[in-house]
Amino acid sequence: MRLVSAAMTRVRRAAEEEEREKEPPPVQPPSHHSNHQLNSMKNKFFNELTHLPNHKLGLPMWAIGAITVVVLALIACMGFCIYKKCINKTKKPKKARERKAGRGRRKKEKEGEEGEEKKDGDEGKEEEEKENLGRLEYTLDYNFTENQLIVGILQAQDLAAMDMGGTSDPYVKVYMLPDKKKKFETKVQRKNLCPVFNETFIFKIPYTELGGQTLVMHVFDFDRFGKHDLIGEIKIPMNSIDLGQPIHEWRDLIGGEKEEQEKLGDVCISLRYVPTAGKLTVNIMEAKNLKKMDVGGLSDPFVKVVLQHNGKRLKKKKTSVKQNTLNPYFNESFSFEIPFSQIQKVQVLITVYDYDKLGSNDPIGKCWIGYGASGVGVRHWSDMLANPRRPVAQWHTLLPEEEVDAALKAPIR
């Protein structure tokens, strides 16, 4: 029995040993020694990192990496932009080119339409201006016996208003081109847009010479204190009409360029008035830069002095003729008896003529001083009255005779 129990005990022990060999060994918890080893390895790793070159900059590795990524991204963006702008500039898609071309064509078409509309509007305005200038009634006739062209200025209607008050002071100037030697003017009609003139002017021109000339009728707005404004004009080439019978018609005025003021010269005049004696002395001293009237490019000038009181002619005087000169020296004095009570309404008219032995003397230019004058004319007269018994000298610019005559005919404001 003892043997059997001993054998069973050995078999059981052998089975237990086999089971223990098959089971995995139990996991032992980490010891204090292993933790110490792990910490020493981590410290060694960070010590090696601190010995890298970036330690001098004081930046960690993750910062350097981030900066590197940002710099590379910026470089890539710049390269892409350069490629799109420069290299790929000429390679535009066909559709884009077509869209751009279409926009350009539409823009040009729009500008063209606007230009046409503007042009049409300007033409309409020009036509409206032409229609609003007014019209003139005149007559033409030719006297073959006397070789005279007779021009009648009858009336005007619906003239353009040139003054601030919505009216005009119209008159008509009539002359022939290209001669322009003889000019006529109607009387000034004050504040009237439908003036009646009924005046006739005669040009003595041989019929054989008439075909190469042009009749000009200028309608002006008179201005006492400045240049006269041109309202409109009518030009009639003589070779375009039949003078075999009288012509009577209305014509619309057209806009024309202002006639350039021709330089006629200047004259120096000295005035002296003695109130106690009632004596006015006019001294014609000299003239300069006179207009050339003769074929040789010179003139034979002399001066006529006319004294008027309240528009009525009192006396006239003439200087001697200076031959072949445009800058004559006269120094000739004329005295007139004028009471002090009348001196305020006295006018002195100065006209420079070119002497002609065979025909009539041609006026070079004219000026006037005294009552109703403007500019230098009234200033010279005022200086004379303010300095009694003393001669006062002044240069005066010569104006066309017909312009001065028109100013004298106009009512004094």
Side-chain angles (χ1 to χ4, degrees), residues 224 267 269 271 280 282-284 302-319 334 336 338 345-353 365-374 377-378 380-381 396-409 412:
R224 181 177 294 277
V267 60
I269 303 165
L271 300 177
L280 172 67
V282 179
N283 185 353
I284 306 300
F302 70 93
V303 180
K304 183 169 76 172
V305 182
V306 176
L307 188 73
Q308 290 188 170
H309 178 263
N310 222 3
K312 183 180 179 181
R313 182 176 294 189
L314 299 178
K315 291 183 180 180
K316 64 178 180 179
K317 303 283 185 178
K318 291 182 182 179
T319 68
F334 308 100
F336 304 94
I338 304 293
K345 291 193 175 182
V346 168
Q347 296 170 325
V348 180
L349 313 183
I350 308 295
T351 308
V352 182
Y353 286 90
K366 191 172 184 177
C367 65
W368 60 303
I369 309 166
Y371 179 60
S374 61
V378 69
H380 191 190
W381 192 255
H396 293 262
T397 300
L398 295 175
L399 300 173
E401 184 185 33
E402 59 274 7
E403 185 174 322
V404 176
D405 290 342
L408 288 168
K409 292 176 185 177
I412 297 174

Side-chain angles (χ1 to χ4, degrees), residues 53-251:
N54 68 305
H55 179 66
K56 296 179 181 179
L57 300 175
L59 295 175
M61 281 299 293
W62 63 266
I64 293 175
I67 292 172
T68 303
V69 171
V70 171
V71 171
L72 291 176
L74 289 175
I75 293 173
C77 291
M78 290 175 64
F80 180 75
C81 292
I82 293 171
Y83 173 78
K84 293 293 288 183
K85 292 289 182 182
C86 299
I87 301 175
N88 201 34
K89 187 176 181 180
T90 57
K91 298 181 181 180
K92 291 185 177 181
K94 184 177 180 181
K95 291 184 178 179
R97 291 197 300 269
E98 290 176 353
R99 285 196 299 270
K100 187 175 181 181
R103 286 196 297 269
R105 284 195 299 270
R106 287 194 295 271
K107 187 176 180 182
K108 288 181 180 179
E109 289 174 359
K110 186 175 180 181
E111 291 176 353
E113 290 175 358
E114 291 177 353
E116 290 178 358
E117 290 176 358
K118 187 176 181 181
K119 187 177 180 181
D120 294 339
D122 293 341
E123 290 177 354
K125 288 180 181 178
E126 289 178 0
E127 291 177 359
E128 186 177 353
E129 288 177 359
K130 288 179 182 178
E131 293 174 358
N132 291 338
L133 295 178
R135 54 184 190 146
L136 181 68
E137 183 185 13
Y138 62 91
T139 60
L140 294 177
D141 195 8
Y142 190 79
N143 188 333
F144 290 89
T145 304
E146 302 291 335
N147 288 330
Q148 293 177 344
L149 176 65
I150 305 167
V151 181
I153 305 297
L154 303 182
Q155 61 179 324
Q157 283 188 355
D158 303 325
L159 295 179
M162 307 297 286
D163 296 338
M164 295 293 290
T167 62
S168 294
D169 303 325
Y171 70 93
V172 183
K173 180 187 290 187
V174 185
Y175 60 92
M176 302 294 294
L177 288 176
D179 188 15
K180 291 178 68 173
K181 195 170 184 180
K182 196 167 187 178
K183 298 181 180 180
F184 298 101
E185 291 185 358
T186 66
K187 294 180 181 179
V188 177
Q189 302 296 321
R190 287 275 307 216
K191 297 182 179 180
N192 197 340
L193 298 180
C194 297
V196 177
F197 300 103
N198 287 330
E199 298 186 40
T200 302
F201 308 106
I202 298 175
F203 295 90
K204 193 172 181 62
I205 305 172
Y207 187 76
T208 55
E209 299 177 6
L210 193 61
Q213 301 196 36
T214 301
L215 175 66
V216 180
M217 292 174 281
H218 276 160
V219 181
F220 283 94
D221 171 48
F222 175 78
D223 188 351
R224 181 177 294 277
F225 302 103
K227 290 185 178 181
H228 304 168
D229 298 319
L230 177 64
I231 299 176
E233 68 177 10
I234 295 174
K235 290 183 178 181
I236 305 174
M238 290 293 100
N239 58 7
S240 66
I241 59 175
D242 181 13
L243 291 173
Q245 55 185 3
I247 297 173
H248 182 180
E249 62 183 4
W250 284 89
R251 274 204 190 185

